[in-house]
Amino acid sequence: FIIVFSYLPISGWIYSFFDYRIGYKLSRCEFVGLSNFAYAFGDPYIITVILNTLVISVLGLAGLPLAGMIAILLSEVKGRRFKKTVQTAITIPNFISWVLVYSMAFSLFSTSGMMNTFLQSIGILEKPVQFLQDNSHTWLTMWLWGQWKGLGWGAIMYLAAIAGIDQELYEAARVDGAGRFKLMRHITLPALMPTF
């Protein structure tokens, strides 16, 4: 699996050294060497693009403890129906494509979207606010959409880890007088800490 899914796709990097045209065999395309890289790194915005990519990736990792906390809270819920309903509701966004997520964002936050229309109708705004076009909070917006989309799936992964904790640890702690919060703090949380 590692060879097929991690190393075999690297062979596709060869296309970056050719002036590739769709529909042509690679042997019929002109070899251009490093000119594609010179073009990409010659762009004055490349540093901004790389910085944005790195920051959004790190912010995505910062959401892991949030998924872990939701998993811990869900594992403590006693009502099975409520637990499954919440788990389903927070997991559904994971299966929505990013194209649809952007469409929803556009419908909600564009200058003619629901948010601006509502705020103008109640008199809070005189003219529409450009929520999606303002770059002063792009990282926050991308992080929030990413968390909304991936939080449920991350919580499922942590719930699976919580299910793997030996139940005898909980029973022994209960015998020693540990309550619900001490069980979470001293057994569940330390079991998940290596994944945070």
Side-chain angles (χ1 to χ4, degrees):
F1 282 115
I2 291 173
I3 290 170
V4 170
F5 293 109
S6 296
Y7 292 110
L8 197 59
I10 293 175
S11 65
W13 290 2
I14 196 167
Y15 288 91
S16 62
F17 299 103
F18 288 85
D19 185 15
Y20 181 68
R21 305 285 181 212
I22 295 175
Y24 289 97
K25 290 183 178 179
L26 197 58
S27 60
R28 293 185 62 205
C29 297
E30 179 187 357
F31 180 78
V32 293
L34 297 175
S35 67
N36 288 328
F37 293 98
Y39 173 76
F41 287 100
D43 189 331
Y45 295 107
I46 192 69
I47 300 299
T48 304
V49 170
I50 292 172
L51 177 68
N52 285 339
T53 302
L54 292 174
V55 168
I56 290 171
S57 296
V58 170
L59 286 176
L61 292 175
L64 290 177
L66 185 60
M69 287 188 290
I70 288 183
I72 290 171
L73 293 175
L74 278 175
S75 70
E76 294 298 320
V77 171
K78 297 299 181 199
R80 186 172 173 85
R81 177 176 269 174
F82 177 75
K83 180 179 180 176
K84 294 296 180 187
T85 303
V86 170
Q87 196 172 350
T88 302
I90 65 173
T91 304
I92 286 175
N94 181 66
F95 301 104
I96 299 173
S97 74
W98 276 107
V99 173
L100 291 177
V101 170
Y102 177 75
S103 297
M104 288 176 6
F106 188 77
S107 298
L108 291 171
F109 299 111
S110 67
T111 53
S112 60
M114 189 174 81
M115 185 64 71
N116 273 312
T117 305
F118 174 72
L119 293 175
Q120 285 178 318
S121 68
I122 61 174
I124 293 178
L125 295 177
E126 290 181 24
K127 63 179 185 170
V129 175
Q130 297 182 348
F131 292 112
L132 296 176
Q133 296 169 338
D134 184 10
N135 64 358
S136 63
H137 55 270
T138 303
W139 291 346
L140 175 64
T141 306
M142 290 300 295
W143 182 77
L144 289 173
W145 283 111
Q147 289 307 304
W148 173 78
K149 190 171 179 341
L151 193 64
W153 187 255
I156 286 177
M157 295 299 119
Y158 284 115
L159 279 169
I162 291 170
I165 298 172
D166 188 5
Q167 293 301 310
E168 291 180 7
L169 292 172
Y170 290 111
E171 292 170 14
R174 283 189 194 99
V175 168
D176 287 341
R180 181 179 264 182
F181 291 106
K182 284 192 177 183
L183 292 174
M184 281 190 292
R185 181 174 172 224
H186 295 291
I187 298 174
T188 309
L189 192 59
L192 297 181
M193 286 307 282
T195 59
F196 282 158

